[in-house]
Amino acid sequence: MSLPLTVSAARDAAEVLLVFYPERKTRSRAATEQSSLDSASPRDGAGQEPEKLPEPSRSSAMRPIKVYADRRSQPSRAVIIFCRVNRIDFEEVAVDLFKAQHLTPEFKKVNPMGQVPAIVDGRFKLFESHAILRYLASVFPGVADHWYPADLFARAKIDSILDWHHSNLRRGAATFVMHTALAPFLGLTPRPDAAKQAEKLLVQSLATIETVWLKGEAKFLLGSPQPSIADLSLVCEIMQLEVPAFLILVHVLGDDARDRFLGGHEKILTWISNVKKATSPHFEEAHMFLFEVKGQMQSKAEAVFGSEPSSKLKIASRL
């Protein structure tokens, strides 16, 4: 036989849940507070008004979260953009991947996996970009619902895209660029077989995005009129094609390679533009580093390959 939830029991449960981030008022705690008041029986207050739970403090003295990131990393940029757009107070802690700072004992205390991004919120530590985006969207009450809806059906659809992302779009894009352009510069031996498989996966992934999640005149994934954390994460992944290695790759392989990736994907290009507009000016600011390096490397590529890149980079420049 179930008993009514008492106010004191609800308070105890809430305090246990919030032990790692006492300043935050989550959606779940708000729901628990309301449930406890709605279900309180006359025995709780002997006929008196139900006891009101104190609101958590969100004073200006509340410490910002720490975001450990390298803006060369597409997941790092997604987290930074999300925080900026939703006015989440945070301190960006630079972790230089090129200097192997992600492998230091100090950083591994934050993320034992040695990867960026990672966050620290009080005593709470979290890594993996998708988990971080879910956490931020759920914990901070100022985040608009469209980013990660409270509706469980809509949320599950977004989760399915994020899970798909890791083993499809990201694996295809990153592996292809590594084994066709980056490997020689990193002293590694390119693997044509791996590049061929990765290219196939990348092309399939772009087609999947268009045919499954950008049907009709959809502005954002799943036909939503506003972006979700899945839109932000996937677009940041595709923006990685702006890296210098890809610019060199276009010069080496020519227009055919470019067209295989983005030439026939007008919906993808329009969707990217929509995400940029929805998150401006923070999207541009987070990607500024890539654009600056792109300009420098484009000049070097012209000198090395002796060709005018403007026509060959027509599609890439639209990203």
Side-chain angles (χ1 to χ4, degrees):
M1 174 177 169
S2 60
L3 297 176
L5 178 66
T6 66
V7 175
S8 59
R11 183 191 298 113
D12 292 342
E15 292 304 321
V16 171
L17 288 173
L18 294 179
V19 66
F20 286 112
Y21 37 93
E23 302 94 341
R24 313 292 189 218
K25 180 180 180 181
T26 65
R27 296 179 189 175
S28 59
R29 179 172 184 181
T32 300
E33 292 175 359
Q34 186 60 48
S35 174
S36 67
L37 294 177
D38 292 342
S39 62
S41 70
R43 290 178 297 171
D44 295 325
Q48 300 177 3
E49 288 293 321
E51 179 185 355
K52 291 185 177 181
L53 298 179
E55 288 291 321
S57 171
R58 291 188 60 82
S59 67
S60 59
M62 187 180 69
R63 290 180 298 175
I65 66 172
K66 290 186 177 181
V67 176
Y68 293 79
D70 185 330
R71 295 198 182 196
R72 300 181 186 95
S73 152
Q74 55 271 41
S76 291
R77 296 193 300 272
V79 171
I80 290 170
I81 294 167
F82 185 84
C83 288
R84 295 287 190 202
V85 170
N86 291 286
R87 299 182 180 180
I88 295 174
D89 192 16
F90 74 100
E91 174 191 349
E92 183 177 347
V93 182
V95 179
D96 194 323
L97 299 178
F98 285 9
K99 295 180 180 179
Q101 291 178 351
H102 58 300
L103 302 177
T104 63
E106 292 76 15
F107 180 70
K108 286 197 171 183
K109 292 178 182 178
V110 176
N111 181 4
M113 303 297 122
Q115 296 176 329
V116 291
I119 66 168
V120 174
D121 186 7
R123 287 174 286 171
F124 179 71
K125 300 175 183 178
L126 187 63
F127 51 90
E128 290 295 333
S129 64
H130 292 168
I132 293 171
L133 291 170
R134 291 180 178 112
Y135 171 80
L136 296 176
S138 301
V139 168
F140 286 83
V143 176
D145 186 70
H146 64 80
W147 286 108
Y148 195 51
D151 178 86
L152 294 181
F153 293 102
R155 181 174 288 198
K157 290 287 189 180
I158 291 173
D159 286 338
S160 70
I161 298 175
L162 293 173
D163 290 349
W164 171 89
H165 174 205
H166 271 303
S167 55
N168 291 275
L169 179 63
R170 174 166 297 172
R171 191 176 69 176
T175 305
F176 180 75
V177 172
M178 171 62 71
H179 289 289
T180 54
L182 272 182
F185 295 96
L186 297 176
L188 303 175
T189 302
R191 291 178 50 202
D193 57 330
K196 184 177 180 179
Q197 291 299 316
E199 179 182 355
K200 181 179 179 181
L201 182 56
L202 174 56
V203 172
Q204 290 175 344
S205 297
L206 293 172
T208 296
I209 293 172
E210 278 198 333
T211 59
V212 177
W213 297 306
L214 288 176
K215 293 180 179 179
E217 301 299 319
K219 289 185 64 178
F220 300 102
L221 299 175
L222 299 170
S224 174
Q226 296 175 299
S228 71
I229 58 175
D231 289 279
L232 182 58
S233 186
L234 269 63
V235 166
C236 283
E237 187 72 50
I238 296 174
M239 288 300 296
Q240 200 71 355
L241 298 182
E242 290 275 9
V243 299
F246 188 74
L247 294 174
I248 294 174
L249 177 64
V250 171
H251 277 276
V252 173
L253 299 183
D255 288 339
D256 290 342
R258 175 208 68 195
D259 291 339
R260 284 202 301 273
F261 297 132
L262 295 169
H265 294 293
E266 288 299 324
K267 285 186 178 180
I268 295 277
L269 295 171
T270 300
W271 166 56
I272 292 172
S273 177
N274 290 337
V275 173
K276 281 184 177 182
K277 291 176 183 176
T279 56
S280 182
H282 310 294
F283 190 96
E284 293 85 349
E285 190 273 332
H287 286 86
M288 189 60 65
F289 174 81
L290 279 186
F291 296 144
E292 290 174 353
V293 175
K294 172 186 173 181
Q296 298 169 5
M297 292 303 297
Q298 183 171 322
S299 299
K300 292 181 180 179
E302 290 177 27
V304 171
F305 296 104
S307 63
E308 175 57 47
S310 57
S311 62
K312 291 186 176 184
L313 298 178
K314 181 173 63 176
I315 295 296
S317 66
R318 293 182 58 186
L319 288 176

